[in-house]
Amino acid sequence: MDRRQRIAVIGVGNDFRRDDGVGWAVIDRLRERAGRRPLPPGCVLATCDGEPGRLMGLWEGVAFAVVVDAAHAHPGTPGRVHRLELDGGTSAGASATSSHGLGLGEAVQLAAALDRLPGRLVVYAVEGADASFGNGLSPAVAAAVGTLAETVEEEIARHRGTSAGRSP
């Protein structure tokens, strides 16, 4: 399949830092759901620790990328989801949504400078409550995973619908 038609859904985080694993949990849920309701051809599900080079490698050359990551907000509402859409002319500030010291914000800035952003990029940032060491999401963040997985599926369907109407 032509990479320009591919879709990448990337869960960013660390599965051993409680709520920082929300991106990975959403990818796990999407994989479970894909057994019953397959994702479109060319849709890749991946997890990443947020290192900018790895993120850029996962979304480079794809038509559409969705990134799910944990976010810090003060004061925060654990489980609240924020949606940010970036196009080729938009750049997020450093660490704009990521809970990592170096990660998503820097990856977007670097990819923009190198002209390696996906055709379209949507970020879902989930406010976390607990980034301490250990497994398992806090109850509020865990409650957001299923709905967010459905939202990502709907995002993919909308993208497929709009891109199907475009001429090559």
Side-chain angles (χ1 to χ4, degrees), residues 6-16 20-32 39 43-59 66-70 100 104 145:
R6 284 190 41 222
I7 297 171
V9 182
I10 307 163
V12 175
N14 183 338
D15 207 21
F16 300 104
D20 193 45
V22 68
W24 291 32
V26 170
I27 295 298
D28 286 345
R29 182 68 56 91
L30 287 168
R31 285 182 176 136
E32 290 170 13
L39 293 167
C43 187
V44 176
L45 301 175
T47 56
C48 180
D49 61 5
E51 192 278 322
R54 284 189 278 278
L55 273 169
M56 287 174 27
L58 290 168
W59 72 41
V66 177
V67 175
V68 180
D69 196 3
H100 315 285
L104 183 56
V145 169

Side-chain angles (χ1 to χ4, degrees), residues 46-107:
T47 56
C48 180
D49 61 5
E51 192 278 322
R54 284 189 278 278
L55 273 169
M56 287 174 27
L58 290 168
W59 72 41
E60 183 179 7
V62 302
F64 180 46
V66 177
V67 175
V68 180
D69 196 3
H72 290 297
H74 300 286
T77 304
R80 182 169 49 186
V81 178
H82 302 269
R83 182 185 183 277
L84 175 65
E85 184 167 354
L86 305 172
D87 61 26
T90 306
S91 179
S95 300
T97 58
S98 178
S99 65
H100 315 285
L102 178 68
L104 183 56
E106 290 80 4

